[in-house]
Amino acid sequence: SDDPQKVAWYCKNSKGKAYICDASNTPLTCNALNLYYMSGNVSEWTSSLCYPYNQEEAIPDDSALAVRGGNYDSYEREITVFHREPVNPNDKDATIGLRLVISK
């Protein structure tokens, strides 16, 4: 499914909190690629500097990294791979984390 209500924890279904993500025990379904939790719950730190899509836009912080994927407090339009937010690497926020993948 690509229905956010079915595949992601975000502002409309999270009750304002993050969830422990365990694909073996979840009310959510996998996405079209058979992957769980790729959007929402916590925004994902990346190692990429955050540049605006519009080159005429000012860069708020030269050291800001791109944070993607949206989180439990995000709107539907923010839980996509296209949406990114600039965050200074020294900042902390309960809505930012990382995704670990374990393969068999």
Side-chain angles (χ1 to χ4, degrees):
S1 175
D2 61 357
D3 176 355
Q5 194 73 21
K6 294 180 181 177
V7 299
W9 294 117
Y10 70 117
C11 69
K12 288 187 180 178
N13 66 359
S14 71
K15 298 179 184 168
K17 65 177 185 170
Y19 288 81
I20 294 173
C21 294
D22 175 2
S24 67
N25 183 22
T26 180
L28 300 179
T29 59
C30 60
N31 66 16
L33 299 173
N34 204 30
L35 298 171
Y36 288 87
Y37 302 115
M38 294 307 294
S39 299
N41 203 39
V42 294
S43 297
E44 182 178 351
W45 274 112
T46 71
S47 59
S48 303
L49 289 174
C50 190
Y51 295 106
Y53 286 120
N54 178 351
Q55 297 302 319
E56 295 176 11
E57 217 174 286
I59 299 172
D61 180 347
D62 289 346
S63 62
L65 297 177
V67 173
R68 294 184 180 265
N71 58 68
Y72 62 86
D73 204 28
S74 295
Y75 293 102
E76 192 171 318
R77 65 180 164 72
E78 297 172 320
I79 58 171
T80 69
V81 296
F82 303 108
H83 182 78
R84 59 185 173 196
E85 296 286 335
V87 177
N88 184 290
N90 297 314
D91 290 348
K92 295 179 183 179
D93 193 298
T95 63
I96 300 173
L98 56 108
R99 289 177 171 84
L100 301 175
V101 176
I102 300 171
S103 63
K104 291 183 181 183

